[in-house]
Amino acid sequence: MKIMVNGEKHEVEATSLAAILVELGHGGAKVATAVNEDFVPATLRETTEIKDGDRVEIVAPRQGG
Amino acid sequence: MPTFYGKEINSRLMLGTAQYPSPAILADAFRRSGAGIATVSVRREAGSDKAGQAFWDLIKELDVALLPNTAGCHSVREAVTTAHMARELFDTPWIKLEVIGHADTLQPDVFGLVEAARILSEDGFQVFPYCTEDLVLCDKLQNAGCQVLMPWGAPIGTGLGLNNVYGLRSLRAHFPDLPLVVDAGLGVPSQAAQAIELGYDAVLLNTAVAKAGDPVAMAEGFAKAVEAGALAYQADAMEPRDMAAPSTPVLGKAFLE
C-alpha cells in the first residue's frame, strides 16, 4: 500500500506500525512515532494498523535550542 | 540555585545544543560552562543515517538534565503531539513549549501557548513555556499549570539582549516566588548578567554560544556572567540617582586656595 512517511510517499508491504518501522530500517532505533498527526506510543505500535494513505511521522533525538 | 518542578539545578545557565561547529565543540562548551540543563529537540529520522542515535549517545555523556522543545511548532495540535514524542524519546516530563505565532519574529502564539500548556499540564507534563513578558499572559500560563515561565529577552537568534527591561522587572515583581528564565535573544554575557541582576533565576541561550568564533570561551563567559549577576542580586544593588554624589568624604578636605 502507499503511505506517507515523514512527508514522502512510500510503498510498504507491512500493515502494522511496528512492522513498517522494521521494513523502513528503523528496527531497534531510538525513535518516536505519530500517525495522522496523533502520537502513537511504542507500546501500541504492534497493534496499530496502518491504512492506505495514512501519514506516518518517525522522529529521533536531535539538536535543539 | 534555581529549582524547577522540584529539581534543583547547580547552574543558572541553560544551553541549547544546536548549530555548534562540531559535536566535540558542543561537548567542550558544556563542560566549560557548567550548564545544568541542555535543550534538545526531535526531528524526522531518515532510515539510513542514524543521526538520532549518534546525538543521543553524545548528550548522554554530557550528564545534564534534558529539556526537550517543541521548536518550529505553529499549532496546538502539532506542539502537543511533538511533546508526547519528546517525552517518550527523552524519558522526561519536562517540555520547553514553543507555539510559534509569527514566522519572522518567532513570537509566541500566546493564545495557542496557553491552550497547549493546559492540555500538557493536565497530561502530566512539566511545562516550561517560551512566552512574552506580558503579565496577563503569564498569569494565564501559571493558571494553566506552568510552575516556571520563560519570557524572551528578544526574538530568537537576534542577540539583541533584553528588549523590555521594564516588562521583565514587572514580571519578577509580580511573581516573586515563581522560577523565571530569560529565554532567547541574548548575544553577549553582559546581557545574561543583566537578566540575573533583575532577579531572574536562569537564562537559556544557544546561538550566542554556538555561533561565537570560539564557542567554548563564550560558554565560559556566560557562566561567569550569570555568577556575577547572581552576586549582584544577592548583594542588593544601590539605587541609581540622577544627581552626582561624592563617594570621597568632603569632611577633612584640605583648604588649598
Side-chain angles (χ1 to χ4, degrees), chain A residues 25 37 42 57 60 62 64-65, chain B residues 17 41 44-45 50 69 81 88:
Chain A
E37 289 76 53
E57 291 288 328
R62 204 55 57 89
Chain B
T17 54
S41 192
R44 285 170 166 175
E45 178 82 318
K50 307 295 182 201
N69 69 27
T81 300
E88 185 176 83

Side-chain angles (χ1 to χ4, degrees), chain B residues 215-231:
Chain B
V216 181
M218 189 61 86
E220 184 176 348
F222 271 99
K224 290 183 171 174
V226 297
E227 285 183 27
L231 284 170

Side-chain angles (χ1 to χ4, degrees), chain B residues 117-132:
Chain B
R118 178 168 290 110
I119 292 168
L120 291 170
S121 296
E122 288 174 355
D123 203 4
F125 283 87
Q126 296 173 341
V127 179
F128 295 61
Y130 158 66
C131 56
T132 61

Side-chain angles (χ1 to χ4, degrees), chain B residues 238-247:
Chain B
M238 65 169 280
E239 285 295 323
R241 41 182 289 154
D242 290 332
M243 297 299 290
S247 50

Side-chain angles (χ1 to χ4, degrees), chain A residues 6-7 24-26 29-34 36-43 45 57-65, chain B residues 16-18 39-47 50-53 55-56 69 77 81 84-85 88-90 96 98 206:
Chain A
N6 287 349
L24 295 176
H26 297 290
K30 190 171 186 61
V31 294
T33 53
N36 299 331
E37 289 76 53
D38 284 328
F39 171 61
V40 178
T43 50
R45 287 179 196 158
E57 291 288 328
I58 304 168
V59 299
R62 204 55 57 89
Q63 293 86 344
Chain B
T17 54
T39 52
V40 292
S41 192
V42 302
R43 284 294 178 264
R44 285 170 166 175
E45 178 82 318
K50 307 295 182 201
Q53 187 63 49
F55 178 64
W56 176 243
N69 69 27
R77 188 177 188 198
T81 300
H84 278 279
M85 293 194 288
E88 185 176 83
L89 273 181
F90 294 108
K96 174 184 164 181
E98 292 187 26
N206 190 155

